[in-house]
């Protein structure tokens, strides 16, 4: 198939999933055309069957807000016609689905161009419920030819918030278990806690610092924080104020997290809300046990006490106690680490999940 993919290319889990999906589809013989304003995160250098079409947004003194949505629609229509695309798969409803619909309309007399929208989370839970975006988000979902969500939780939220009657297919986040693997040999030193995110308030990065402080009362540990965003400076300040600055390393944005995860012992994901929690899945594939919060779609990924732990949002003591449990009980740590890898392999491997997208494409093309 010839597939156009649009996503937010530089920021957030939805862009990562869209890029990894494109790479996996290309490896399976499909032609993939990324249509985005920047080179997608994790795309890397040249790959066979991968094409990248940049969307340029011209400014003009009249435009207080340059119309990205329209520039994207024009580019989508151009690329779809030029490369005879079979469909457009957009990630994150706003504005990508709307631009795709405009492209579809532009080509309607000469080219059938179905649209699949994948909803990732904040496009529904935050942006979509904002009164100024609610009607257009509902329209975008209702007019898509196929809709997928990354968890059952997000499907239920979408139906509840927008009253969608059309079928919504749940296709969960995935991980390539040949790329994400447990370490053959771990580096020496203090046990390592790891947090990976875009440091937005919803991720509760400051909780990671507080958890470390609590853990260190009884157990040596070092915290690695990968990523960047608005909560980085407050987190740096808090670590200094609590006197644990020497035990925290801010790594900034990382290109190859598959090399980082295996070096950790525990993954911290203290989020306020996660529709799925991709970072926890990638950690689990590397045999790293997640200590996460019981919110959104996370229980669809982590089975409490088996392949990770789920505690209440903001409960620092409970999350710290789970970290200590993992770091001090070697037997339990080994069992949970193996179970985490096993869950990633048996339920979320690309070999299992990518065919679900392919089946969805075939279904939509047959309509
Ligand atoms: O929170 C992020 O990392 C960004 C956000 C997005 O919309 O780009 O991520 C969402 O999509 C990820 C990939 O499908 C999910 O794993 C995250 O759980 C989800 N984030 C939230 O729901 C807050």
């Amino acid at each position: 198939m010839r597939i156009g993919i649009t996503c937010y290319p530089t920021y957030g889990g939805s862009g990562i999933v869209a890029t990894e999906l494109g790479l996996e589809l290309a490896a399976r013989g499909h032609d993939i055309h990324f249509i985005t304003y920047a080179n997608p995160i994790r795309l890397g250098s040249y790959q066979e069957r991968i094409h990248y079409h940049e969307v340029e947004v011209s400014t003009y003194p009249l435009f207080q807000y340059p119309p990205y949505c329209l520039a994207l629609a024009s580019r989508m229509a151009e690329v779809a016609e030029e490369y005879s695309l079979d469909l457009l798969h957009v990630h994150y409803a706003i504005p990508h689905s709307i631009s795709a619909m405009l492209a579809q309309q532009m080509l309607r007399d000469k080219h059938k161009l179905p649209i699949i929208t994948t909803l990732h989370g904040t496009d529904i839970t935050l942006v979509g419920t904002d009164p100024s975006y609610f009607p257009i988000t509902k329209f975008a979902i209702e007019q898509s030819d196929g809709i997928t969500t990354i968890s059952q939780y997000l499907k239920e939220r979408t139906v509840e918030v927008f009253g969608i009657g059309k079928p919504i297919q749940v296709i969960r986040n995935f991980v390539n278990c040949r790329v994400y693997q447990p370490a053959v040999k771990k580096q020496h030193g203090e046990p390592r806690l790891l947090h990976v995110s875009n440091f937005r308030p919803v991720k509760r990065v400051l909780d990671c610092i507080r958890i470390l402080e609590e853990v260190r009362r009884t157990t040596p540990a070092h915290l690695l924080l990968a990523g960047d965003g608005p909560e980085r400076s407050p987190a740096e300040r808090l670590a200094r104020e609590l006197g644990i600055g020497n035990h925290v390393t801010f790594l900034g944005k990382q290109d190859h997290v598959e090399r980082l995860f295996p070096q950790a012992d525990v993954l911290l994901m203290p989020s306020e809300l996660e529709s799925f929690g991709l970072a926890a899945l990638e950690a689990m594939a590397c045999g790293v046990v997640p200590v996460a919060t019981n919110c959104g779609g996370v229980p669809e990924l982590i089975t409490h006490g088996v392949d990770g732990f789920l505690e209440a949002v903001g409960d620092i003591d409970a999350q710290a106690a789970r970290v200590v449990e993992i770091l001090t009980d070697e037997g339990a740590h080994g069992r949970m680490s193996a179970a985490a890898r096993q869950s990633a392999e048996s339920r979320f491997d690309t070999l299992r999940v990518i065919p679900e997208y392919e089946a969805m494409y075939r279904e939509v093309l047959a309509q």
Side-chain angles (χ1 to χ4, degrees), residues 185-218:
K185 203 165 153 225
K186 272 206 164 86
Q187 286 162 15
H188 295 297
E190 287 188 326
R192 273 179 285 268
L193 318 184
L194 174 65
H195 173 79
V196 180
S197 80
N198 48 26
F199 285 53
R200 283 181 301 149
V202 71
K203 303 292 180 183
R204 297 183 68 100
V205 179
L206 271 57
D207 283 7
C208 296
I209 309 285
R210 297 196 174 99
I211 291 167
L212 178 73
E213 187 201 21
E214 201 50 44
V215 168
R216 283 191 58 85
R217 290 184 200 283
T218 59

mmCIF file of all heavy atoms in Angstrom, residues 185-218:
data_model
loop_
_atom_site.group_PDB
_atom_site.id
_atom_site.type_symbol
_atom_site.label_atom_id
_atom_site.label_comp_id
_atom_site.label_asym_id
_atom_site.label_seq_id
_atom_site.Cartn_x
_atom_site.Cartn_y
_atom_site.Cartn_z
ATOM 1 N N LYS A 185 24.757 -6.952 29.862
ATOM 2 C CA LYS A 185 25.547 -6.639 31.051
ATOM 3 C C LYS A 185 25.212 -5.213 31.477
ATOM 4 O O LYS A 185 25.248 -4.299 30.649
ATOM 5 C CB LYS A 185 27.032 -6.731 30.667
ATOM 6 C CG LYS A 185 27.922 -6.967 31.830
ATOM 7 C CD LYS A 185 29.298 -7.400 31.344
ATOM 8 C CE LYS A 185 30.329 -7.009 32.388
ATOM 9 N NZ LYS A 185 31.493 -6.400 31.803
ATOM 10 N N LYS A 186 24.825 -5.030 32.734
ATOM 11 C CA LYS A 186 24.497 -3.679 33.216
ATOM 12 C C LYS A 186 25.744 -2.985 33.728
ATOM 13 O O LYS A 186 26.647 -3.637 34.257
ATOM 14 C CB LYS A 186 23.474 -3.771 34.350
ATOM 15 C CG LYS A 186 22.033 -3.780 33.868
ATOM 16 C CD LYS A 186 21.090 -3.245 34.948
ATOM 17 C CE LYS A 186 19.751 -2.880 34.358
ATOM 18 N NZ LYS A 186 18.786 -3.940 34.256
ATOM 19 N N GLN A 187 25.767 -1.618 33.571
ATOM 20 C CA GLN A 187 26.887 -0.856 34.128
ATOM 21 C C GLN A 187 26.883 -1.000 35.654
ATOM 22 O O GLN A 187 25.822 -1.138 36.252
ATOM 23 C CB GLN A 187 26.733 0.620 33.767
ATOM 24 C CG GLN A 187 27.049 0.928 32.324
ATOM 25 C CD GLN A 187 26.483 2.269 31.874
ATOM 26 O OE1 GLN A 187 26.088 3.088 32.689
ATOM 27 N NE2 GLN A 187 26.437 2.459 30.576
ATOM 28 N N HIS A 188 28.075 -0.903 36.271
ATOM 29 C CA HIS A 188 28.152 -0.991 37.733
ATOM 30 C C HIS A 188 27.692 0.316 38.362
ATOM 31 O O HIS A 188 27.431 1.288 37.677
ATOM 32 C CB HIS A 188 29.593 -1.292 38.168
ATOM 33 C CG HIS A 188 30.048 -2.641 37.696
ATOM 34 N ND1 HIS A 188 29.452 -3.806 38.101
ATOM 35 C CD2 HIS A 188 31.018 -2.994 36.811
ATOM 36 C CE1 HIS A 188 30.040 -4.832 37.503
ATOM 37 N NE2 HIS A 188 30.989 -4.361 36.709
ATOM 38 N N GLY A 189 27.610 0.340 39.658
ATOM 39 C CA GLY A 189 27.265 1.573 40.367
ATOM 40 C C GLY A 189 25.938 1.451 41.082
ATOM 41 O O GLY A 189 25.377 0.352 41.201
ATOM 42 N N GLU A 190 25.444 2.593 41.570
ATOM 43 C CA GLU A 190 24.180 2.588 42.319
ATOM 44 C C GLU A 190 23.030 2.151 41.414
ATOM 45 O O GLU A 190 23.060 2.424 40.205
ATOM 46 C CB GLU A 190 23.888 4.006 42.810
ATOM 47 C CG GLU A 190 24.773 4.444 43.958
ATOM 48 C CD GLU A 190 24.313 5.783 44.535
ATOM 49 O OE1 GLU A 190 23.832 6.629 43.760
ATOM 50 O OE2 GLU A 190 24.439 5.959 45.756
ATOM 51 N N PRO A 191 22.005 1.505 41.975
ATOM 52 C CA PRO A 191 20.823 1.173 41.167
ATOM 53 C C PRO A 191 20.255 2.444 40.531
ATOM 54 O O PRO A 191 20.314 3.522 41.128
ATOM 55 C CB PRO A 191 19.844 0.610 42.201
ATOM 56 C CG PRO A 191 20.670 0.177 43.347
ATOM 57 C CD PRO A 191 21.878 1.065 43.377
ATOM 58 N N ARG A 192 19.733 2.283 39.343
ATOM 59 C CA ARG A 192 19.271 3.465 38.586
ATOM 60 C C ARG A 192 17.760 3.469 38.393
ATOM 61 O O ARG A 192 17.167 2.498 37.917
ATOM 62 C CB ARG A 192 19.931 3.484 37.207
ATOM 63 C CG ARG A 192 21.290 4.170 37.202
ATOM 64 C CD ARG A 192 21.893 4.132 35.830
ATOM 65 N NE ARG A 192 22.391 2.784 35.567
ATOM 66 C CZ ARG A 192 23.628 2.396 35.812
ATOM 67 N NH1 ARG A 192 24.507 3.242 36.277
ATOM 68 N NH2 ARG A 192 24.014 1.174 35.578
ATOM 69 N N LEU A 193 17.151 4.615 38.753
ATOM 70 C CA LEU A 193 15.743 4.860 38.439
ATOM 71 C C LEU A 193 15.742 5.730 37.187
ATOM 72 O O LEU A 193 16.588 6.619 37.054
ATOM 73 C CB LEU A 193 15.043 5.616 39.578
ATOM 74 C CG LEU A 193 15.353 5.183 41.019
ATOM 75 C CD1 LEU A 193 14.494 5.986 41.992
ATOM 76 C CD2 LEU A 193 15.095 3.687 41.179
ATOM 77 N N LEU A 194 14.794 5.481 36.293
ATOM 78 C CA LEU A 194 14.759 6.248 35.037
ATOM 79 C C LEU A 194 13.373 6.824 34.817
ATOM 80 O O LEU A 194 12.364 6.159 35.085
ATOM 81 C CB LEU A 194 15.138 5.311 33.869
ATOM 82 C CG LEU A 194 15.015 5.875 32.452
ATOM 83 C CD1 LEU A 194 16.010 7.021 32.216
ATOM 84 C CD2 LEU A 194 15.259 4.764 31.411
ATOM 85 N N HIS A 195 13.347 8.077 34.324
ATOM 86 C CA HIS A 195 12.082 8.680 33.889
ATOM 87 C C HIS A 195 12.313 9.242 32.492
ATOM 88 O O HIS A 195 13.319 9.902 32.248
ATOM 89 C CB HIS A 195 11.662 9.800 34.857
ATOM 90 C CG HIS A 195 10.472 10.566 34.360
ATOM 91 N ND1 HIS A 195 9.185 10.086 34.481
ATOM 92 C CD2 HIS A 195 10.372 11.755 33.723
ATOM 93 C CE1 HIS A 195 8.352 10.959 33.949
ATOM 94 N NE2 HIS A 195 9.039 11.982 33.476
ATOM 95 N N VAL A 196 11.375 8.973 31.584
ATOM 96 C CA VAL A 196 11.483 9.472 30.202
ATOM 97 C C VAL A 196 10.171 10.152 29.846
ATOM 98 O O VAL A 196 9.115 9.524 29.901
ATOM 99 C CB VAL A 196 11.728 8.300 29.209
ATOM 100 C CG1 VAL A 196 11.834 8.822 27.780
ATOM 101 C CG2 VAL A 196 12.980 7.518 29.571
ATOM 102 N N SER A 197 10.235 11.430 29.507
ATOM 103 C CA SER A 197 8.989 12.112 29.112
ATOM 104 C C SER A 197 9.314 13.436 28.446
ATOM 105 O O SER A 197 10.474 13.797 28.248
ATOM 106 C CB SER A 197 8.077 12.360 30.314
ATOM 107 O OG SER A 197 8.499 13.502 31.048
ATOM 108 N N ASN A 198 8.237 14.192 28.135
ATOM 109 C CA ASN A 198 8.426 15.532 27.582
ATOM 110 C C ASN A 198 8.281 16.608 28.661
ATOM 111 O O ASN A 198 8.095 17.772 28.347
ATOM 112 C CB ASN A 198 7.456 15.778 26.418
ATOM 113 C CG ASN A 198 6.047 15.381 26.794
ATOM 114 O OD1 ASN A 198 5.676 15.385 27.970
ATOM 115 N ND2 ASN A 198 5.240 15.051 25.814
ATOM 116 N N PHE A 199 8.345 16.210 29.912
ATOM 117 C CA PHE A 199 8.399 17.131 31.059
ATOM 118 C C PHE A 199 7.237 18.128 31.075
ATOM 119 O O PHE A 199 7.411 19.286 31.452
ATOM 120 C CB PHE A 199 9.739 17.886 31.078
ATOM 121 C CG PHE A 199 10.899 17.037 31.550
ATOM 122 C CD1 PHE A 199 11.176 15.803 30.972
ATOM 123 C CD2 PHE A 199 11.735 17.473 32.566
ATOM 124 C CE1 PHE A 199 12.235 15.021 31.408
ATOM 125 C CE2 PHE A 199 12.807 16.700 33.012
ATOM 126 C CZ PHE A 199 13.050 15.468 32.418
ATOM 127 N N ARG A 200 6.056 17.669 30.631
ATOM 128 C CA ARG A 200 4.886 18.525 30.771
ATOM 129 C C ARG A 200 4.276 18.291 32.144
ATOM 130 O O ARG A 200 4.489 17.232 32.747
ATOM 131 C CB ARG A 200 3.862 18.208 29.674
ATOM 132 C CG ARG A 200 4.251 18.795 28.325
ATOM 133 C CD ARG A 200 3.208 18.493 27.288
ATOM 134 N NE ARG A 200 3.020 17.064 27.151
ATOM 135 C CZ ARG A 200 1.877 16.484 26.811
ATOM 136 N NH1 ARG A 200 0.822 17.208 26.564
ATOM 137 N NH2 ARG A 200 1.797 15.177 26.702
ATOM 138 N N PRO A 201 3.472 19.242 32.661
ATOM 139 C CA PRO A 201 2.913 19.079 34.011
ATOM 140 C C PRO A 201 2.187 17.747 34.211
ATOM 141 O O PRO A 201 2.277 17.150 35.287
ATOM 142 C CB PRO A 201 1.953 20.270 34.139
ATOM 143 C CG PRO A 201 2.534 21.318 33.228
ATOM 144 C CD PRO A 201 3.157 20.563 32.080
ATOM 145 N N VAL A 202 1.526 17.230 33.139
ATOM 146 C CA VAL A 202 0.773 15.978 33.271
ATOM 147 C C VAL A 202 1.686 14.799 33.661
ATOM 148 O O VAL A 202 1.232 13.805 34.229
ATOM 149 C CB VAL A 202 -0.020 15.689 31.956
ATOM 150 C CG1 VAL A 202 0.920 15.308 30.834
ATOM 151 C CG2 VAL A 202 -1.104 14.654 32.141
ATOM 152 N N LYS A 203 2.984 14.929 33.419
ATOM 153 C CA LYS A 203 3.933 13.836 33.716
ATOM 154 C C LYS A 203 4.380 13.816 35.176
ATOM 155 O O LYS A 203 5.011 12.864 35.615
ATOM 156 C CB LYS A 203 5.174 13.943 32.811
ATOM 157 C CG LYS A 203 4.867 13.937 31.325
ATOM 158 C CD LYS A 203 4.349 12.588 30.877
ATOM 159 C CE LYS A 203 4.036 12.596 29.388
ATOM 160 N NZ LYS A 203 3.471 11.321 28.944
ATOM 161 N N ARG A 204 4.134 14.907 35.910
ATOM 162 C CA ARG A 204 4.481 15.002 37.344
ATOM 163 C C ARG A 204 5.965 14.638 37.593
ATOM 164 O O ARG A 204 6.278 13.799 38.444
ATOM 165 C CB ARG A 204 3.549 14.126 38.192
ATOM 166 C CG ARG A 204 2.086 14.570 38.130
ATOM 167 C CD ARG A 204 1.212 13.734 39.033
ATOM 168 N NE ARG A 204 1.489 13.963 40.435
ATOM 169 C CZ ARG A 204 0.790 14.740 41.244
ATOM 170 N NH1 ARG A 204 -0.273 15.390 40.770
ATOM 171 N NH2 ARG A 204 1.115 14.867 42.502
ATOM 172 N N VAL A 205 6.849 15.300 36.854
ATOM 173 C CA VAL A 205 8.286 14.999 36.951
ATOM 174 C C VAL A 205 8.798 15.265 38.373
ATOM 175 O O VAL A 205 9.669 14.551 38.880
ATOM 176 C CB VAL A 205 9.084 15.834 35.923
ATOM 177 C CG1 VAL A 205 10.573 15.543 36.020
ATOM 178 C CG2 VAL A 205 8.601 15.544 34.508
ATOM 179 N N LEU A 206 8.223 16.280 39.033
ATOM 180 C CA LEU A 206 8.675 16.609 40.394
ATOM 181 C C LEU A 206 8.455 15.438 41.353
ATOM 182 O O LEU A 206 9.213 15.269 42.318
ATOM 183 C CB LEU A 206 7.967 17.874 40.918
ATOM 184 C CG LEU A 206 8.684 19.192 40.586
ATOM 185 C CD1 LEU A 206 8.900 19.387 39.110
ATOM 186 C CD2 LEU A 206 7.923 20.382 41.161
ATOM 187 N N ASP A 207 7.439 14.624 41.073
ATOM 188 C CA ASP A 207 7.211 13.446 41.912
ATOM 189 C C ASP A 207 8.412 12.500 41.852
ATOM 190 O O ASP A 207 8.722 11.819 42.832
ATOM 191 C CB ASP A 207 5.949 12.685 41.464
ATOM 192 C CG ASP A 207 4.665 13.391 41.928
ATOM 193 O OD1 ASP A 207 4.768 14.513 42.467
ATOM 194 O OD2 ASP A 207 3.574 12.814 41.743
ATOM 195 N N CYS A 208 9.083 12.449 40.691
ATOM 196 C CA CYS A 208 10.254 11.559 40.561
ATOM 197 C C CYS A 208 11.331 11.982 41.550
ATOM 198 O O CYS A 208 12.001 11.134 42.163
ATOM 199 C CB CYS A 208 10.823 11.608 39.150
ATOM 200 S SG CYS A 208 9.714 11.008 37.890
ATOM 201 N N ILE A 209 11.525 13.292 41.687
ATOM 202 C CA ILE A 209 12.554 13.804 42.599
ATOM 203 C C ILE A 209 12.158 13.445 44.037
ATOM 204 O O ILE A 209 12.997 12.991 44.826
ATOM 205 C CB ILE A 209 12.687 15.342 42.457
ATOM 206 C CG1 ILE A 209 12.856 15.756 40.987
ATOM 207 C CG2 ILE A 209 13.793 15.883 43.358
ATOM 208 C CD1 ILE A 209 14.195 15.495 40.382
ATOM 209 N N ARG A 210 10.889 13.624 44.343
ATOM 210 C CA ARG A 210 10.427 13.324 45.719
ATOM 211 C C ARG A 210 10.515 11.828 46.015
ATOM 212 O O ARG A 210 10.839 11.416 47.125
ATOM 213 C CB ARG A 210 8.996 13.835 45.908
ATOM 214 C CG ARG A 210 8.900 15.346 45.773
ATOM 215 C CD ARG A 210 7.602 15.913 46.324
ATOM 216 N NE ARG A 210 7.647 17.363 46.293
ATOM 217 C CZ ARG A 210 7.093 18.126 45.344
ATOM 218 N NH1 ARG A 210 6.409 17.560 44.361
ATOM 219 N NH2 ARG A 210 7.192 19.435 45.371
ATOM 220 N N ILE A 211 10.214 11.020 45.010
ATOM 221 C CA ILE A 211 10.310 9.561 45.195
ATOM 222 C C ILE A 211 11.768 9.191 45.488
ATOM 223 O O ILE A 211 12.063 8.413 46.405
ATOM 224 C CB ILE A 211 9.777 8.809 43.947
ATOM 225 C CG1 ILE A 211 8.254 8.996 43.827
ATOM 226 C CG2 ILE A 211 10.128 7.325 44.000
ATOM 227 C CD1 ILE A 211 7.666 8.564 42.488
ATOM 228 N N LEU A 212 12.697 9.784 44.723
ATOM 229 C CA LEU A 212 14.123 9.486 44.945
ATOM 230 C C LEU A 212 14.525 9.864 46.375
ATOM 231 O O LEU A 212 15.222 9.094 47.057
ATOM 232 C CB LEU A 212 15.006 10.235 43.946
ATOM 233 C CG LEU A 212 16.503 9.998 44.165
ATOM 234 C CD1 LEU A 212 16.907 8.594 43.724
ATOM 235 C CD2 LEU A 212 17.368 11.034 43.451
ATOM 236 N N GLU A 213 14.080 11.044 46.819
ATOM 237 C CA GLU A 213 14.437 11.481 48.180
ATOM 238 C C GLU A 213 13.974 10.443 49.209
ATOM 239 O O GLU A 213 14.721 10.054 50.109
ATOM 240 C CB GLU A 213 13.773 12.834 48.487
ATOM 241 C CG GLU A 213 14.242 13.410 49.819
ATOM 242 C CD GLU A 213 13.281 14.433 50.403
ATOM 243 O OE1 GLU A 213 12.082 14.438 50.031
ATOM 244 O OE2 GLU A 213 13.720 15.210 51.266
ATOM 245 N N GLU A 214 12.753 9.958 49.020
ATOM 246 C CA GLU A 214 12.174 8.977 49.937
ATOM 247 C C GLU A 214 12.943 7.645 49.873
ATOM 248 O O GLU A 214 13.265 7.060 50.905
ATOM 249 C CB GLU A 214 10.700 8.786 49.529
ATOM 250 C CG GLU A 214 9.786 8.231 50.572
ATOM 251 C CD GLU A 214 9.867 8.935 51.907
ATOM 252 O OE1 GLU A 214 9.908 10.184 51.937
ATOM 253 O OE2 GLU A 214 9.923 8.212 52.920
ATOM 254 N N VAL A 215 13.243 7.202 48.660
ATOM 255 C CA VAL A 215 13.962 5.926 48.474
ATOM 256 C C VAL A 215 15.316 5.993 49.166
ATOM 257 O O VAL A 215 15.738 5.066 49.863
ATOM 258 C CB VAL A 215 14.137 5.615 46.962
ATOM 259 C CG1 VAL A 215 15.117 4.464 46.736
ATOM 260 C CG2 VAL A 215 12.788 5.287 46.320
ATOM 261 N N ARG A 216 16.008 7.126 48.987
ATOM 262 C CA ARG A 216 17.379 7.249 49.490
ATOM 263 C C ARG A 216 17.477 7.283 51.015
ATOM 264 O O ARG A 216 18.561 7.180 51.565
ATOM 265 C CB ARG A 216 18.063 8.483 48.879
ATOM 266 C CG ARG A 216 18.500 8.234 47.432
ATOM 267 C CD ARG A 216 19.414 9.334 46.920
ATOM 268 N NE ARG A 216 20.601 9.466 47.741
ATOM 269 C CZ ARG A 216 21.711 8.741 47.587
ATOM 270 N NH1 ARG A 216 21.789 7.824 46.639
ATOM 271 N NH2 ARG A 216 22.755 8.932 48.369
ATOM 272 N N ARG A 217 16.336 7.414 51.685
ATOM 273 C CA ARG A 217 16.378 7.340 53.155
ATOM 274 C C ARG A 217 16.860 5.966 53.608
ATOM 275 O O ARG A 217 17.432 5.811 54.677
ATOM 276 C CB ARG A 217 14.987 7.613 53.754
ATOM 277 C CG ARG A 217 14.537 9.046 53.614
ATOM 278 C CD ARG A 217 13.198 9.276 54.300
ATOM 279 N NE ARG A 217 12.556 10.469 53.787
ATOM 280 C CZ ARG A 217 12.896 11.717 54.128
ATOM 281 N NH1 ARG A 217 13.845 11.916 55.014
ATOM 282 N NH2 ARG A 217 12.280 12.749 53.600
ATOM 283 N N THR A 218 16.583 4.927 52.774
ATOM 284 C CA THR A 218 16.976 3.567 53.174
ATOM 285 C C THR A 218 17.860 2.864 52.151
ATOM 286 O O THR A 218 18.579 1.930 52.491
ATOM 287 C CB THR A 218 15.718 2.673 53.344
ATOM 288 O OG1 THR A 218 15.010 2.656 52.083
ATOM 289 C CG2 THR A 218 14.805 3.186 54.444
#
